[in-house]
Amino acid sequence: MNAVPKPVACFHCGEPVPANSRWEANIDGKPRPMCCPGCAAAAQAIADGGFADYYSTRTEYAARQEDAAADAPELALYDEDPQATEAVFSVEGMRCAACVWLIERRLAHLPGVADVALNVATERLRVRWEPGQCKPSDIVRAVRAIGYGAYPYDAKQHGEQLERARKKLFRQLFIAGLAMMQVMMYAVPVYMATDGTMDASMEALMHWASFALTVPAVFYSAQPFFRGAWLDLKRGMPGMDVPVALGIGAAFVGSLWALVTRSGEVYFDSITMFIFLLLGSRYFELGARRKAARALEGLQRALPASALRMPGYPVERATKLVAAGALQPGDLILVQPGQAVAADGVIVEGATEVDLALLTGESRTQRKHAGDELPGGAVNAAQAIVLRVTTAARDSTLALLVRLVERAGQGKPQLALWADKVAAWFVAALLVLTVIVFAAWHVIDPSRAWAAAIAVLVVSCPCALSLATPTALAAATDRLLRRGALAVQPHVLETLARATHVVFDKTGTLTLGRPELRRTVALDAAGEGECLQLAGALEAANAHPIALAIRAAAGPVLAAAQELEYVVGEGVEGTIAGVRYRLGSAAFVAGLAGSQEPAGGDTGATRVWLAAPGRWLARFELADGLRPEAREIVRRFHQAGQTVVLLSGDQQEAAAAVAAELGIDEALGGQLPQQKLDYVRALQQNGAVVAMVGDGVNDAAVLRGADVSFAMGNGAALAQLNADCVLLGDGLGPLADAADTARRTLAVIRQNLAWATVYNLAAIPAAAFGLLNPWLSGIGMAASSALVVGNALRLRRGK
């Protein structure tokens, strides 16, 4: 009778190979069995691409994809936009750093791919490519060909994926807690039976029962620590998981050896308690990170994927559902109640209330009418409107913010990088100290050597460096976003806290960016109110910013002007109640008044004159209105000991007037973009740390050159793309909160570092000298982790 051949496992995915299978791949010069043509193609692609060493470094088989060639439904929308050059994808099935290395290497060899970045923690893949040479479907197929799941990033799906991770961590925590309680039930009678009332067989039974309950805690609940330690060692940077994993492993092996040989102490109660407390701290920290990311996810979920285009408007009102990415300037779309606006546009029909909370932080709805502009991402809260698209969906206000959000958090600030480096050295020194402690106790008292070494491993706390520092930064960043400041670059908080100079642009930054009437001076018997009514009537049909300011100050105009004649750059002339009037520049108005304009007036303001035949009636002084919060912002920076500077492209007189009104130390007018940049660089060469705040296209270069920069949310897109932080909405309020949060964040980090230093200086020597047993060490380690994370979470709240 012939023996039944042993089933052969697929070399790529580990599934059984069917009988009489002919599929195989040549890897390292050897034919390897494959279960299906998909695995064969994937494995051969890996080998042909020069990545065959993936199979020697992997820790698990590749995940199977049931339909690896199929495209995700969202992929068609991505491919419909031929101008797209960047996208974010979610990747499933990653297990370790080797997966990151393989995926990045594979995509780097795709034609047209310019940049690849994969974050193993968030499982997000960012790819940039050259249009025409690559498209999103090529990227998804390439990732799936090597055995991983990939699809265009969707905030909802990604949130569900994070929720699955949270549930798994909760299950591990639950198992560890259950094991801890049961093991304690067996350990306490043993500890209490110090008078010999428990015989050896009963004590052994208690220990074996404790061992059986500890196994699931070690091999299931402690997986995050063992996996993290393995990844840390592979990349050559031992983190806090290394001593934790060594402590758990050493205590478990040592306890099992003592149980089998019936000599020495067992630490099953300490092991389960340690795993439970540390998992509880990690679950706490994961919850904090999810809260910090929730606002960003909400912003991304608000980007609509489709729109109702009206190709026959106004003759026909039929709509067609199209991808938001297919919208072009000039398209007419229907925005129904409750829907988000897919792209920036102008209302051409209807009036409604819109919710701009996601874009500006303003909780109250705003009334919008025909002719008003709406940003992409605004939510229609009342009735349907027809909108003419002014920018493509990919360039809308919300799309820009989403791209900025995707950039946010990609890197680590210098403080966190320094903390990781110090933590690595700390752990390395700790491992050396553990060996020394074990050797010393082996000479002094061999029975206590193992317990002392385990206690040293367990009691150490590098978490303030590698855990609480990024948690503090994440909590602070979340607070800033909720208060209207989107930190795009990772160094915003730490650099702002160190800034010595704060440099402001004037127009649109410290001022509102639009003129307003500051003063009306009557020059004749007519009163100020009558003069304003006359000026308002003359400007009734003018859309110039000065005309809008005069009309706003005049209020409801009762008179009507006739025979209006506009002179470009000079003013307007018209007849009211049979009397001829002129409104405009002094030279223009003097032609009707018949004499030179009267002396006086604010030289720092724009002066507009009103005259009738043979007489000057009034002088209107207009200036760009200051933001109501500007004076308080400047005062707070002065109070913090920082120098405030005003750099403006306007005339020196106008810049000096604004600086004097706000109490700014130095004001420079007539500054071209290169001159602004040169000024900031000169400050930096003298040792200054410069924070720059601006809003216009001409501020882009200096925003990029400053140590930390802030762009106004209603400013130019180029300024926002070159800034480190975007102030959402229309105001400087978030800037003051950012400065306060930056100082509080560094204070919290210093507190955490101080606590970690004091704790470790006290706890590690105590453990080394045998004054702490492993279970007390576990409590100290977990309590220390919870303390620094809780301290960091205070940053999410205000003072």
Side-chain angles (χ1 to χ4, degrees), residues 91 103 107 125 138-150:
V91 180
I103 294 170
L107 293 181
L125 171 67
D138 298 332
I139 296 166
V140 171
R141 290 190 189 98
V143 175
R144 291 181 175 180
I146 53 177
Y148 298 92

Side-chain angles (χ1 to χ4, degrees), residues 19-190:
N20 302 319
S21 172
R22 300 178 183 178
W23 296 304
E24 61 181 26
N26 194 336
I27 301 173
D28 289 332
K30 298 179 180 179
R32 304 290 187 176
M34 300 289 160
C35 66
C36 65
C39 285
Q44 197 62 57
I46 292 173
D48 294 344
F51 310 130
D53 51 347
Y54 157 72
Y55 290 102
S56 61
T57 59
R58 64 180 176 180
T59 56
E60 295 184 13
Y61 283 112
R64 283 179 62 89
Q65 297 298 319
E66 298 299 331
D67 190 6
D71 292 337
E74 302 92 338
L75 209 56
L77 294 179
Y78 276 71
D79 283 350
E80 282 183 4
D81 185 3
Q83 302 301 319
T85 60
E86 185 174 342
V88 179
F89 303 87
S90 290
V91 180
E92 291 182 342
M94 290 193 298
R95 296 292 182 269
C96 61
C99 301
V100 177
W101 171 86
L102 174 64
I103 294 170
E104 290 184 342
R105 287 279 299 274
R106 176 70 183 91
L107 293 181
H109 284 74
L110 277 182
V113 171
D115 184 55
V116 182
L118 178 57
N119 189 321
V120 68
T122 61
E123 297 184 342
R124 286 197 206 176
L125 171 67
R126 169 178 289 280
V127 185
R128 285 194 302 108
W129 64 87
E130 297 294 333
Q133 300 183 37
C134 183
K135 55 184 184 293
S137 56
D138 298 332
I139 296 166
V140 171
R141 290 190 189 98
V143 175
R144 291 181 175 180
I146 53 177
Y148 298 92
Y151 49 87
Y153 173 77
D154 178 81
K156 181 179 179 181
Q157 293 182 9
H158 189 70
E160 292 172 352
Q161 190 174 334
L162 290 177
E163 180 63 14
R164 288 194 297 270
R166 184 197 67 82
K167 289 180 178 179
K168 182 178 180 181
L169 183 59
F170 179 78
R171 288 194 300 269
Q172 291 170 328
L173 176 65
F174 178 79
I175 294 297
L178 188 63
M180 179 190 69
M181 290 187 293
Q182 295 299 319
V183 169
M184 283 298 177
M185 290 178 60
Y186 294 118
V188 169
V190 176

Side-chain angles (χ1 to χ4, degrees), residues 750-763:
R750 292 191 191 101
Q751 292 166 8
N752 288 342
L753 294 177
W755 162 254
T757 301
V758 172
Y759 169 82
N760 284 306
L761 288 177

Side-chain angles (χ1 to χ4, degrees), residues 503-539:
V503 180
F504 286 95
D505 175 49
K506 182 178 78 70
T507 305
T509 302
L510 289 174
T511 66
L512 296 169
R514 57 181 182 270
E516 63 178 15
L517 183 63
R518 291 286 189 87
R519 184 183 177 198
T520 300
V521 180
L523 304 173
D524 195 74
E528 294 180 2
E530 182 181 348
C531 291
L532 265 177
Q533 283 286 305
L534 293 172
L538 291 170
E539 298 284 24

Side-chain angles (χ1 to χ4, degrees), residues 441-755:
W441 275 105
H442 201 270
V443 173
I444 300 170
D445 185 355
S447 64
R448 300 180 63 184
W450 198 251
I454 294 172
V456 170
L457 282 173
V458 170
V459 80
S460 61
C461 184
C463 54
L465 295 172
S466 56
L467 176 64
T469 297
T471 303
L473 293 171
T477 302
D478 169 56
R479 171 177 166 77
L480 288 185
L481 184 61
R482 288 186 288 109
R483 297 298 295 268
L486 172 60
V488 180
Q489 297 298 333
H491 65 87
V492 169
L493 290 169
E494 58 178 305
T495 307
L496 181 59
R498 296 187 295 106
T500 59
H501 290 67
V502 182
V503 180
F504 286 95
D505 175 49
K506 182 178 78 70
T507 305
T509 302
L510 289 174
T511 66
L512 296 169
R514 57 181 182 270
E516 63 178 15
L517 183 63
R518 291 286 189 87
R519 184 183 177 198
T520 300
V521 180
L523 304 173
D524 195 74
E528 294 180 2
E530 182 181 348
C531 291
L532 265 177
Q533 283 286 305
L534 293 172
L538 291 170
E539 298 284 24
N542 196 348
H544 191 279
I546 290 179
L548 297 177
I550 290 176
R551 290 212 308 266
V557 177
L558 302 178
Q562 299 174 344
E563 301 177 8
L564 291 173
E565 182 181 349
Y566 293 95
V567 180
V568 178
E570 296 292 340
V572 60
E573 182 176 348
T575 301
I576 302 175
V579 179
R580 198 74 178 165
Y581 295 95
R582 278 190 182 183
L583 178 71
S585 66
F588 173 67
V589 172
L592 184 65
S595 61
Q596 189 176 3
E597 78 272 14
D602 184 1
T603 58
T606 299
R607 289 176 290 181
V608 177
W609 303 85
L610 175 67
R615 58 195 179 116
W616 295 84
L617 297 180
R619 180 179 69 244
F620 304 102
E621 297 177 359
L622 298 96
D624 192 358
L626 292 176
R627 294 189 182 275
E629 70 276 11
R631 186 176 288 102
E632 175 63 16
I633 297 291
V634 172
R635 186 193 67 79
R636 291 177 67 170
F637 280 121
H638 279 153
Q639 196 173 39
Q642 295 165 308
T643 302
V644 181
V645 179
L646 174 61
L647 287 184
S648 176
D650 290 349
Q651 295 180 352
Q652 176 64 34
E653 294 80 4
V658 170
E661 190 169 353
L662 296 179
I664 292 178
D665 308 305
E666 182 179 358
L668 295 176
Q671 298 291 297
L672 298 175
Q674 185 60 46
Q675 292 174 310
K676 290 183 178 182
L677 181 59
D678 292 341
Y679 180 85
V680 167
R681 285 178 174 170
L683 289 177
Q684 292 170 330
Q685 289 174 359
N686 292 325
V689 178
V690 181
M692 177 70 199
V693 189
D695 79 313
V697 172
N698 60 343
D699 295 323
V702 69
L703 288 171
R704 175 63 65 185
D707 295 286
V708 62
S709 54
F710 298 82
M712 303 299 295
N714 61 347
L718 183 61
Q720 296 174 0
L721 291 172
N722 283 276
D724 300 319
C725 184
V726 177
L727 305 178
L728 306 178
D730 185 18
L732 287 169
L735 178 63
D737 199 70
D740 176 65
T741 302
R743 288 187 286 270
R744 292 178 58 216
T745 300
L746 288 192
V748 165
I749 291 175
R750 292 191 191 101
Q751 292 166 8
N752 288 342
L753 294 177
W755 162 254

Side-chain angles (χ1 to χ4, degrees), residues 263-618:
S263 61
E265 298 290 334
V266 296
Y267 305 106
F268 297 123
D269 54 336
S270 303
I271 295 170
T272 54
M273 181 184 297
F274 181 52
I275 294 172
F276 173 74
L277 293 174
L278 212 52
L279 278 177
S281 176
R282 181 162 295 194
Y283 187 79
F284 185 32
E285 186 252 346
L286 177 63
R289 289 182 180 277
R290 292 190 70 226
K291 288 178 182 177
R294 195 164 293 158
L296 300 184
E297 292 173 3
L299 188 64
Q300 291 163 324
R301 280 195 295 268
L303 189 61
S306 61
L308 294 172
R309 187 159 57 191
M310 305 177 71
Y313 182 88
V315 179
E316 297 179 0
R317 303 190 67 85
T319 61
K320 179 182 179 182
L321 184 66
V322 298
L327 293 177
Q328 296 297 326
D331 286 347
L332 291 155
I333 61 174
L334 177 66
V335 185
Q336 295 178 334
Q339 287 186 341
V341 178
D344 293 357
V346 177
I347 300 176
V348 297
E349 179 186 306
T352 187
E353 298 280 334
V354 295
D355 182 358
L356 299 172
L358 211 61
L359 299 172
T360 67
E362 174 61 51
S363 59
R364 292 175 297 180
T365 59
Q366 298 181 18
R367 186 72 177 171
K368 295 292 182 179
H369 306 270
D372 290 340
E373 296 182 353
L374 281 186
V379 177
N380 184 6
Q383 53 192 359
I385 56 174
V386 178
L387 192 82
R388 177 181 288 110
V389 175
T390 56
T391 62
R394 63 176 176 273
D395 299 322
S396 70
T397 301
L398 183 60
L400 172 63
L401 289 181
V402 169
R403 287 199 295 271
L404 294 175
V405 166
E406 291 294 344
R407 283 171 53 194
Q410 290 293 319
K412 279 190 175 183
Q414 290 297 319
L415 187 62
L417 293 174
W418 172 84
D420 287 345
K421 187 175 181 180
V422 172
W425 283 105
F426 176 88
V427 172
L430 178 70
L431 297 178
V432 173
L433 176 63
T434 302
V435 174
I436 295 174
V437 168
F438 180 82
W441 275 105
H442 201 270
V443 173
I444 300 170
D445 185 355
S447 64
R448 300 180 63 184
W450 198 251
I454 294 172
V456 170
L457 282 173
V458 170
V459 80
S460 61
C461 184
C463 54
L465 295 172
S466 56
L467 176 64
T469 297
T471 303
L473 293 171
T477 302
D478 169 56
R479 171 177 166 77
L480 288 185
L481 184 61
R482 288 186 288 109
R483 297 298 295 268
L486 172 60
V488 180
Q489 297 298 333
H491 65 87
V492 169
L493 290 169
E494 58 178 305
T495 307
L496 181 59
R498 296 187 295 106
T500 59
H501 290 67
V502 182
V503 180
F504 286 95
D505 175 49
K506 182 178 78 70
T507 305
T509 302
L510 289 174
T511 66
L512 296 169
R514 57 181 182 270
E516 63 178 15
L517 183 63
R518 291 286 189 87
R519 184 183 177 198
T520 300
V521 180
L523 304 173
D524 195 74
E528 294 180 2
E530 182 181 348
C531 291
L532 265 177
Q533 283 286 305
L534 293 172
L538 291 170
E539 298 284 24
N542 196 348
H544 191 279
I546 290 179
L548 297 177
I550 290 176
R551 290 212 308 266
V557 177
L558 302 178
Q562 299 174 344
E563 301 177 8
L564 291 173
E565 182 181 349
Y566 293 95
V567 180
V568 178
E570 296 292 340
V572 60
E573 182 176 348
T575 301
I576 302 175
V579 179
R580 198 74 178 165
Y581 295 95
R582 278 190 182 183
L583 178 71
S585 66
F588 173 67
V589 172
L592 184 65
S595 61
Q596 189 176 3
E597 78 272 14
D602 184 1
T603 58
T606 299
R607 289 176 290 181
V608 177
W609 303 85
L610 175 67
R615 58 195 179 116
W616 295 84
L617 297 180

